Amino acid sequence: MAIALADPLVHDDKGARFAAPDGVLPGQVGTVVDLRVDAVDLTATIVDLAVRGYLWIAETDGPGAQLDWQISRRAPMDGLLTTYETQLVNILLPQGTETVFVSSFQTPGSRLDLGGISDTMYADAQRNRWFRRSPEHVGSLTRYGIGVLLGGLVITAALALSVGSAMIGVAVCGAGAVFALAGMLLPVRTARGRLLVAHVAALRRYLGELNMEDLEPTDREIILTRAAPYAVVLGQLDAWLKAMETLDTAADGSPGIDWYETTSEELNKTAANITANLPTFLTILDGVLARGAHLQNLPQN
């Protein structure tokens, strides 16, 4: 399906701002596009929650003077958060916990318990009418069908060798084949979900070709900030970081970016310096979340 590139920038009397297609959140993007919940979907969600002001990420000195990161609550959770976002925050920062250090999840024996997050995100995609059914359920149907088919083959062989009539076994094989084919052929995405995938592909191209000259200097920081979690989940972090290198963070009247704090004490920080350690943070967080949810740890770039 060829879809024209929808402009992700919304212009009004206050300037320009970034808007994702169909209001999709970064974690939802990854789930709908590849039909599974990956570690990078959760990493992008945490970055998005920081961008939106619910969390705060800061570099700090860790054990042995190594670089560490703290993730802190910044604003109370409210009705604007999805169920899976609330669940993720409550797991990352349990009730009464204001700050957590990423290194605390890297020690032997410590692991986030994110086992139920996939089901919550699949259910979220169904509520948004992007999925007809959970991809996991479709996979289960296929496995069930294959199991019935194999069982039917055994019954067929046994009946043919004993009573000489294998029709019951053939019928079981037929039923198993139907279930297996249904699991493989039934579409998981709705028409709305397929349209979203096409729009996301266009968004990926936009992020991969970011041109700062097309943006007003005063709008650049807010647009790049809002685009950051989408760049993470869509594998366009390199292009985003390259655009950040030319960003004047003081152009909006306040130096620095307010969702990620660096350990550098330089007064005149460039955006490139501020985000220099961001790829390392994302890679480490990916690993922590992958272990906690038994998910695939995908590369950022």
Side-chain angles (χ1 to χ4, degrees):
M1 182 189 306
I3 299 294
L5 175 58
D7 190 350
L9 301 184
V10 176
H11 302 269
D12 54 28
D13 56 353
K14 296 181 180 179
R17 65 182 185 277
F18 181 90
D22 205 13
V24 66
L25 296 169
Q28 295 168 333
V29 166
T31 304
V32 175
V33 168
D34 60 19
L35 300 180
R36 66 173 184 260
V37 177
D38 298 313
V40 70
D41 302 337
L42 303 181
T43 295
T45 297
I46 290 174
V47 173
D48 188 50
L49 289 169
V51 166
R52 288 156 56 196
Y54 292 98
L55 298 176
W56 183 61
I57 303 167
E59 297 173 7
T60 185
D61 293 327
Q66 292 183 340
L67 184 63
D68 196 0
W69 288 265
Q70 66 181 68
I71 302 174
S72 306
R73 293 181 184 271
R74 190 174 185 183
M77 291 182 291
D78 55 30
L80 296 178
L81 294 180
T82 65
T83 303
Y84 77 84
E85 287 175 320
T86 300
Q87 181 181 358
L88 180 57
V89 172
N90 284 336
I91 294 172
L92 189 67
L93 293 158
Q95 188 68 30
T97 303
E98 296 298 317
T99 295
V100 66
F101 293 91
V102 174
S103 61
S104 66
F105 302 118
Q106 296 179 285
T107 58
S110 65
R111 182 173 64 85
L112 286 172
D113 185 7
L114 291 162
I117 200 77
S118 295
D119 288 341
T120 306
M121 295 181 76
Y122 292 140
D124 174 81
Q126 289 179 264
R127 279 194 298 271
N128 281 285
R129 295 182 290 116
W130 295 317
F131 282 175
R132 299 180 188 279
R133 58 189 62 78
S134 169
E136 288 189 334
H137 293 165
V138 174
S140 297
L141 182 61
T142 300
R143 291 190 294 272
Y144 174 77
I146 292 174
V148 172
L149 176 59
L150 293 176
L153 291 174
V154 172
I155 294 173
T156 299
L159 291 176
L161 294 173
S162 57
V163 299
S165 176
M167 294 307 297
I168 295 177
V170 171
V172 173
C173 288
V178 169
F179 282 121
L181 286 173
M184 291 185 286
L185 298 178
L186 285 176
V188 173
R189 300 188 193 94
T190 61
R192 178 177 176 177
R194 293 192 297 272
L195 182 61
L196 177 61
V197 170
H199 279 302
V200 167
L203 175 60
R204 178 185 281 112
R205 291 196 299 272
Y206 171 83
L207 292 171
E209 301 168 0
L210 278 170
N211 186 354
M212 296 291 282
E213 297 303 319
D214 293 339
L215 308 174
E216 291 294 329
T218 54
D219 294 334
R220 292 174 183 175
E221 182 177 335
I222 187 62
I223 290 171
L224 285 179
T225 289
R226 192 68 192 94
Y230 295 91
V232 171
V233 78
L234 291 174
Q236 297 298 334
L237 186 63
D238 283 345
W240 183 84
L241 289 170
K242 185 176 180 180
M244 287 289 288
E245 290 177 0
T246 63
L247 177 65
D248 177 9
T249 64
D252 63 352
S254 175
I257 53 178
D258 66 356
W259 57 276
Y260 186 91
E261 180 68 24
T262 179
T263 55
S264 173
E265 297 181 356
E266 300 172 9
L267 295 179
N268 297 318
K269 300 173 184 174
T270 66
N273 287 338
I274 293 173
T275 57
N277 295 316
L278 184 59
T280 303
F281 165 73
L282 297 174
T283 299
I284 293 174
L285 187 59
D286 260 6
V288 167
L289 296 172
R291 287 191 298 275
H294 307 291
L295 301 172
Q296 183 177 356
N297 187 4
L298 298 182
Q300 291 292 331
N301 303 305

